[in-house]
Amino acid sequence: MPVPIPRQRVIPAVENGHDGDAAPQSSPLAGSPTDVTRGTTPGGTTDHENHTAATGGPRTTGGADRSGDSSGPAAPTATEAAEAPAPVAAGSPGSGPASTALTLLVIEDDPTGSLNIPSLLDSAELTVRVRTARNLTEAERLLTDDVHCILLDLALPAPAPRTEAAPDGAEDELAVLRHVLRLAPRHAVLALTGAENSARGPEAVGVGAQDFLYRDELDGRLLSRAVRYAVERKRADHAQRQLTESRLRAQENARLERGLLPTPLLEGAPLRFAARYRPGRSRALLGGDFYDTVRTSDGTVHAMIGDVCGHGPDEAALGVELRIAWRALTFAGLCGDELLSTLQKVLENERSDDEIFATLCTVDISPDGRSAGLCLAGHPSPLVARQGHLAELLPYDDNGPALGLLPQARWPRRQVELGRSWSLMLYTDGLVEGRVGAGNQRLGQDGMVSLVRGLLAEGLRGDALLEAAMTEVRALNGGELTDDVAVLLLDRMVPTRS
């Protein structure tokens, strides 16, 4: 039993803007006896589709070029009919290049029938299916997502009421094109004009069309290439626009994140400040780590560093909220347990999940700079390097729990002596959790202390000390650290008396 010849999708008569019983017209192109874009049979199938079923052309099985063959394609044999592939459905205007069939919407009013756009097949087996509208009203109805390209006759009357005007006040000859571009911003558009209006084609491209064609030079192969080019150029333009928008959003996000990083308020304090911050998530400027340093009116310098569990944007936002709350509470006079208890309430109300917690270390340095109060909420103890002594960790026996773990927790404040000249380094666990070598060994706090001691012995201080420490930690890890890292350094250097 012979296999039916596959045909293209049936386009209802309403798609072509005609009644179902419209009479077919003669076709001057491709040797077809019927108009492929105008006539339909009473069954609702276009005459071109009936002609395809009767003659077997155009087919998607290759062969010689048929675009200008006036004799028409030969009828298929039974074997060819059995092996003929099914038609491929057209994709949306933004679909990828894998589509093998494109749908062309022709918008033109040609009462003489001199313009007949056939279904085309180029040497790359690209089928172009045609849908026709006589005016912009019909075009708007037929402009569905399966249309890939629009062929617009620039000779069409402009839409009424006409609102477009040329800069000099004269009639805008491209008003119909501007209207279609507004109507179909995601579709590729080809402008069709006459050779007598040769300047209008380049002007159409300048307005927004992907390309232009001359009516008198139009043939199947040229139209097929132009449609494919226009569709691919539109896709490329759309991809470039998305890339540009993505870059602008990234730049805006970067500016916002930079603005959320703290500016230390240490005016009048005899201390030198340095900090390094490196988020763990890719292409981010802000992570879950946070820090801040301020000097209150009584001369006390307050420093803080913290770490919200997790690495995403929600954790980064929560870290910013805790930092801002800490600064406000510090200026309001809160310190020690009272301050941390209030910060825990802020965290409990702002966190997105009850499992989220934050570690915190706060230090308040006396106005004379010789002592400090220390509170630890599940956070690593700071490192201090006093003049004439090796760098060491401050006591951490009274370390309280992280914020958000125990509702009624308390955080004792320990008084520590700093001495006359010193360097105090606060850090997050990202600095000490990096690996050492290819195994599973971690740097740890002891390794970090040894590392800093060596750098101090080399005479490094301030920014140079932090930069060298970060560089060496990354080198020991064998690459970038995966966790957020924040390091804050306060130096008090008093000249030695002679």
Side-chain angles (χ1 to χ4, degrees):
M1 176 178 178
V3 179
I5 300 173
R7 298 185 299 170
Q8 297 181 15
R9 181 178 64 87
V10 175
I11 301 177
V14 68
E15 283 192 351
N16 289 282
H18 304 285
D19 297 331
D21 56 353
Q25 299 181 9
S26 61
S27 170
L29 293 180
S32 174
T34 55
D35 187 329
V36 300
T37 62
R38 299 191 183 279
T40 58
T41 64
T45 304
T46 61
D47 290 333
H48 172 63
E49 289 168 337
N50 289 332
H51 178 67
T52 301
T55 64
R59 304 194 306 273
T60 58
T61 56
D65 177 26
R66 305 175 183 84
S67 60
D69 186 0
S70 60
S71 62
T77 65
T79 302
E80 289 175 327
E83 296 176 350
V88 181
S92 66
S95 61
S99 299
T100 58
L102 299 177
T103 301
L104 175 68
L105 175 60
V106 181
I107 309 176
E108 58 89 18
D109 186 12
D110 185 26
T112 65
S114 61
L115 179 64
N116 181 22
I117 309 296
S119 273
L120 299 170
L121 180 67
D122 66 5
S123 59
E125 303 289 337
L126 178 67
T127 301
V128 179
R129 297 180 294 187
V130 179
R131 188 179 300 176
T132 303
R134 287 181 175 175
N135 51 54
L136 296 177
T137 302
E138 289 183 4
E140 187 170 358
R141 186 172 68 250
L142 299 180
L143 189 61
T144 53
D145 285 341
D146 61 332
V147 173
H148 296 79
C149 184
I150 299 171
L151 179 63
L152 174 65
D153 188 356
L154 297 181
L156 273 176
R162 186 176 304 169
T163 57
E164 300 85 350
D168 58 359
E171 179 179 344
D172 185 4
E173 296 181 344
L174 299 177
V176 63
L177 173 61
R178 300 180 197 275
H179 180 83
V180 169
L181 291 174
R182 288 195 299 269
L183 185 67
R186 297 177 59 239
H187 292 74
V189 177
L190 286 170
L192 184 65
T193 185
E196 67 278 5
N197 296 317
S198 58
R200 193 180 298 180
E203 292 174 358
V205 174
V207 168
Q210 273 60 58
D211 204 350
F212 66 94
L213 297 168
Y214 292 126
R215 176 188 295 265
D216 298 339
E217 299 177 1
L218 190 64
D219 60 37
R221 180 177 291 276
L222 176 62
L223 179 59
S224 178
R225 283 200 305 266
V227 168
R228 181 169 55 183
Y229 167 78
V231 170
E232 294 304 324
R233 180 177 177 183
K234 186 66 176 182
R235 286 171 179 158
D237 291 344
H238 180 67
Q240 182 62 40
R241 183 165 57 252
Q242 286 184 318
L243 179 60
T244 301
E245 292 174 353
S246 177
R247 287 174 176 170
L248 291 175
R249 284 195 298 270
Q251 292 172 2
E252 181 179 1
N253 291 339
R255 287 193 296 270
L256 290 173
E257 290 185 346
R258 279 195 296 269
L260 293 174
L261 290 174
T263 300
L265 302 179
L266 293 174
E267 185 177 358
L271 302 178
R272 184 171 58 181
F273 172 88
R276 288 294 182 274
Y277 191 93
R278 191 179 302 275
R281 55 193 178 101
S282 177
R283 294 189 297 274
L285 293 178
L286 202 63
D289 292 1
F290 54 98
Y291 67 89
D292 204 353
T293 305
V294 298
R295 180 176 184 266
T296 51
S297 58
D298 63 353
T300 302
V301 172
H302 302 261
M304 171 271 291
I305 197 165
D307 183 2
V308 178
C309 66
H311 308 285
D314 291 338
E315 289 76 13
L318 181 57
V320 171
E321 291 179 272
L322 292 175
R323 180 186 68 77
I324 294 174
W326 176 87
R327 177 176 284 202
L329 294 171
T330 299
F331 279 127
L334 275 66
C335 185
D337 179 75
E338 187 179 12
L339 185 148
L340 292 177
S341 297
T342 308
L343 282 179
Q344 175 159 277
K345 294 179 182 178
V346 173
L347 183 145
E348 290 172 344
N349 285 282
E350 296 297 331
R351 62 186 176 183
S352 59
D353 189 287
D354 290 341
E355 301 297 322
I356 293 179
F357 62 90
T359 65
L360 197 70
C361 168
T362 66
V363 176
D364 54 280
I365 303 169
S366 61
D368 63 6
R370 302 182 69 90
S371 63
L374 171 66
C375 285
L376 297 174
H379 200 87
S381 182
L383 179 147
V384 62
R386 302 179 179 92
Q387 188 176 28
H389 298 79
L390 291 175
E392 60 181 353
L393 298 176
L394 288 177
Y396 50 88
D397 298 337
D398 295 331
N399 193 351
L403 303 180
L405 292 182
L406 300 176
Q408 304 300 324
R410 288 292 178 263
W411 295 272
R413 178 177 175 272
R414 172 188 283 266
Q415 191 75 15
V416 295
E417 293 300 321
L418 298 177
R420 192 162 179 268
S421 296
W422 45 263
S423 294
L424 184 66
M425 189 174 83
L426 286 66
Y427 54 92
T428 58
D429 59 5
L431 184 68
V432 299
E433 289 185 350
R435 299 183 184 276
V436 178
N440 294 324
Q441 181 183 355
R442 302 285 183 175
L443 176 64
Q445 287 181 284
D446 291 340
M448 185 264 300
V449 171
S450 298
L451 186 151
V452 173
R453 284 176 177 176
L455 297 175
L456 288 172
E458 296 175 10
L460 299 178
R461 297 291 186 274
D463 285 301
L465 173 64
L466 292 189
E467 189 63 34
M470 294 286 288
T471 300
E472 191 161 340
V473 168
R474 289 198 302 271
L476 292 172
N477 188 62
E480 287 295 338
L481 302 170
T482 57
D483 197 4
D484 302 331
V485 178
V487 188
L488 184 156
L489 184 66
L490 291 171
D491 291 315
R492 183 177 188 264
M493 294 299 163
V494 178
T496 303
R497 297 173 182 174
S498 56

